[in-house]
Amino acid sequence: MSKSLSQILVHIVFHVKAGSFIHSSHTIELYHYMGGIIKINGSFPIKIGGTEDHIHILCSLSKNIAVAKLVEEIKRNSSRWIKTLDPSYHIFGW
């Protein structure tokens, strides 16, 4: 039986909700955290970057997860995590 190969590249953009922003001192740590979430879900982060009000993610999507599920996992876990960094993030949301 032959193998089937696929590579799906996904560009995801998250914008923070009004009144929130990402401190520059936490961006690298956030990017690494998001990369870890992507890896846990069987996908591969290629590039993660952004500014204080939005994030861009380029990743190779695993064929075992839907785009919507991956986005949900990244948003939910990163939002929960960033709120533990500093009290100023108490209203943080994507």
Side-chain angles (χ1 to χ4, degrees), residues 44-86:
F44 181 76
I46 297 169
K47 183 75 175 173
I48 303 175
T51 65
E52 65 184 18
D53 68 349
H54 73 280
I55 301 279
H56 290 265
I57 300 170
L58 178 63
C59 66
S60 177
L61 184 68
S62 167
K63 62 183 179 178
N64 299 319
I65 190 168
V67 174
K69 181 65 176 171
L70 180 62
V71 170
E72 176 188 350
E73 289 295 314
I74 297 168
K75 285 178 76 172
R76 182 172 48 87
N77 288 303
S78 63
S79 180
R80 187 179 299 158
W81 174 80
I82 201 165
K83 288 178 182 181
T84 66
L85 295 180
D86 193 282

Side-chain angles (χ1 to χ4, degrees), residues 17-36:
K17 288 185 178 177
S20 300
F21 67 94
I22 302 166
H23 300 284
S24 59
S25 61
H26 296 132
T27 55
I28 300 300
E29 197 175 1
L30 175 62
Y31 301 159
H32 287 288
Y33 189 81
M34 290 176 142

